[in-house]
Amino acid sequence: MKDTQIKKLIESEKKRQKKVINLIASENVVSKDVLKALGSELTNKYAEGYPGKRYYGGNEVVDELESLAQTRALRLFGLSPDLWHVNVQPLSGSPANLAVYLALVPIGGKIMGMSLDNGGHLTHGHKVSMTGKAWVQVPFGVDPKTEVIDYDSLKQKAVAEKPAIIVAGFTAYPRTVDFKKFREVADACGPDSPVGTGAILMVDMSHFAGLVAGKAYPSPFEYADVVTTTVHKTLRGPRSALIFVRKDKTKLNTKGVPVSFADLIDKAVFPGLQGGPHLNQIAAVAVALKEASTPAFKKYAQQVVKNAKVLADELTKKGWRIVSGGTDSHLVLIDTWMGGKGIGGKEASDRLEKAGIIVNKNTIPGETRTPVDPSGIRVGSAAETTRGKKEKDFRKVAENIDKVLSA
Ligand code: DSN
């Protein structure tokens, strides 16, 4: 690289990443092939539109590329192309979720999503996000005692509020989600819901997509109408996102004609929200999807969960309160304030960073502090498992976290 300033910064970041223990639950370490695809000449190409329907010439290669990425995405999750469509163009998770609402929920309609301090995401209708400005959030949370989702109260609220869409998914909920129960809740919204046949069920599987691919976490596809995911968390690909949608789902347009969710979502992604797709990114997605279909990736996903469980168990033994009492996934939420040693999340994260352990501060259910200095930290096992760490290594990591925070 001729640009020595940027070269130096890339080298410095590479060194930083190698030197630290990375416990950020939403990060991972991609393969050299993913990096190669990202750094390829595909970035030179404009291809607004979709395969076979572009606004520029010269698409014979990128049409094949985008179609291949779609085929691999459906295959990875065992989906028939007769029943499911996938859009591989969303630039990342937030635009993917926004595109689904734009396609399916009338402006001002209700999005039922997990509140941020209970583990939801900003794009599940939080007021600081566009999704909470153009639409109205109906928040749900966890049971204050068990810190897991209470499906009965979720159902009561959904039936009373009749949201147009219900979002099952999270960024900081360590447990498995019962997608069948979410389906029942969505259906219970009845024929008088704004979409006519119960609420739409959307699953945002960004955090656990890799675990679903590796069969280490329940799959949402049997129950959901729409599934969104980022590619760069447990799925270990480039920063990007996918939207899966059932082909048989339709919505009446203003003339009373049924239009498929798939067409509406494609139009919301382009031209609704985005311009030309990032084809280098789509190539890297395709590479990651193939990697995730291997037996080695399945082993990886199982190990991710084993390692997170060890982390939660060891920290519990050392007297730390783990939100919900443990984990079924790649992430663990530690209450460092009330249930710990009275350390705020910011101080905990800063102290760990000084010791070379990278985490993020995080709100916890029933939060009494602020999002910039909340009551906990979130840790995850995806990145360090990619680097080969096993249970014994995570026992050591737990020991180090305890040492640093108890000092
Ligand atoms: N910011 C991501 C996370 O860390 O969970 C979600 O978008």
Side-chain angles (χ1 to χ4, degrees):
M1 183 184 275
K2 288 197 193 104
D3 185 331
T4 51
Q5 255 180 311
I6 294 297
K7 186 174 175 192
K8 216 172 126 201
L9 287 171
I10 293 173
E11 287 306 323
S12 302
E13 174 59 12
K14 259 166 85 175
K15 265 194 211 139
R16 184 200 68 79
Q17 288 185 15
K18 279 210 176 113
K19 182 170 83 185
V20 299
I21 306 251
N22 181 10
L23 299 182
I24 296 203
S26 47
E27 291 185 8
N28 214 322
V29 185
V30 300
S31 70
K32 291 222 158 54
D33 282 2
V34 167
L35 290 178
K36 267 204 181 128
L38 279 175
S40 69
E41 288 73 8
L42 287 162
T43 197
N44 297 336
K45 184 75 194 99
Y46 240 120
E48 281 179 4
Y50 291 101
K53 292 173 276 180
R54 308 276 192 192
Y55 290 83
Y56 297 78
N59 297 299
E60 65 271 28
V61 178
V62 296
D63 274 7
E64 191 178 333
L65 171 77
E66 186 168 342
S67 302
L68 180 59
Q70 289 176 301
T71 302
R72 286 185 180 179
L74 294 175
R75 199 177 290 150
L76 179 63
F77 294 102
L79 306 174
S80 158
D82 296 333
L83 303 178
W84 286 85
H85 169 69
V86 60
N87 187 307
V88 297
Q89 293 193 6
L91 302 176
S92 206
S94 294
N97 288 351
L98 190 52
V100 175
Y101 308 141
L102 191 64
L104 305 180
V105 185
I107 297 293
K110 291 180 185 172
I111 298 170
M112 187 166 194
M114 200 181 228
S115 66
L116 200 62
D117 61 351
N118 279 245
H121 188 249
L122 290 169
T123 60
H124 298 172
H126 192 279
K127 63 178 190 296
V128 302
S129 149
M130 187 61 203
T131 64
K133 296 185 197 298
W135 296 277
V136 179
Q137 190 193 39
V138 177
F140 69 89
V142 295
D143 177 277
K145 278 207 186 89
T146 60
E147 295 174 315
V148 299
I149 297 168
D150 171 353
Y151 293 93
D152 291 333
S153 69
L154 175 74
K155 190 172 182 178
Q156 263 177 20
K157 195 163 192 180
V159 169
E161 294 275 358
K162 299 211 184 316
I165 195 164
I166 299 179
V167 184
F170 56 77
T171 63
Y173 181 71
R175 296 305 191 168
T176 46
V177 171
D178 189 333
F179 299 114
K180 185 168 187 255
K181 287 216 172 108
F182 263 102
R183 179 77 262 167
E184 286 162 14
V185 171
D187 290 345
C189 292
D192 55 338
S193 84
V195 281
T197 50
I200 297 162
L201 180 58
M202 163 177 153
V203 174
D204 178 350
M205 65 167 186
S206 293
H207 262 269
F208 50 88
L211 306 182
V212 173
K215 308 222 176 321
Y217 194 92
S219 168
F221 286 101
E222 193 183 338
Y223 304 105
D225 302 310
V226 180
V227 177
T228 61
T229 184
T230 50
V231 185
H232 48 276
K233 297 184 176 90
T234 50
L235 199 46
R236 210 163 65 184
R239 310 197 77 80
S240 192
L242 309 170
I243 304 173
F244 297 88
V245 52
R246 270 183 199 275
K247 278 187 167 168
D248 63 343
K249 289 282 161 179
T250 58
K251 191 173 172 270
L252 297 182
N253 69 11
T254 45
K255 292 181 191 127
V257 179
V259 188
S260 75
F261 281 13
D263 278 349
L264 292 166
I265 287 172
D266 277 356
K267 284 200 181 98
V269 173
F270 172 82
L273 287 167
Q274 296 185 179
H278 294 188
L279 294 152
N280 56 323
Q281 191 185 22
I282 290 172
V285 167
V287 170
L289 293 170
K290 190 169 179 199
E291 289 173 357
S293 67
T294 58
F297 190 88
K298 190 170 178 192
K299 246 172 119 181
Y300 161 73
Q302 315 275 336
Q303 190 66 48
V304 165
V305 177
K306 282 186 205 160
N307 287 347
K309 281 182 189 289
V310 164
L311 199 51
D313 289 350
E314 291 298 309
L315 287 165
T316 304
K317 278 187 209 155
K318 292 181 186 310
W320 293 91
R321 193 183 86 77
I322 304 301
V323 170
S324 84
T327 183
D328 307 319
S329 64
H330 62 301
L331 73 84
V332 179
L333 207 50
I334 310 167
D335 175 356
T336 52
W337 181 245
M338 293 299 284
K341 323 229 160 146
I343 307 169
K346 182 179 180 329
E347 185 188 339
S349 155
D350 289 349
R351 273 163 66 174
L352 287 166
E353 181 158 359
K354 278 200 190 104
I357 301 173
I358 310 298
V359 306
N360 67 277
K361 51 183 180 273
N362 219 101
T363 51
I364 62 168
E367 186 57 68
T368 52
R369 293 161 62 91
T370 64
V372 285
D373 189 8
S375 299
I377 53 172
R378 185 186 68 167
V379 294
S381 56
E384 291 301 324
T385 305
T386 296
R387 290 161 134 186
K389 285 198 174 47
K390 295 258 166 45
E391 288 94 324
K392 67 173 183 353
D393 307 299
F394 271 87
R395 245 168 245 130
K396 187 98 194 115
V397 170
E399 218 171 85
N400 287 338
I401 291 176
D402 178 56
K403 235 186 242 162
V404 172
L405 296 184
S406 302

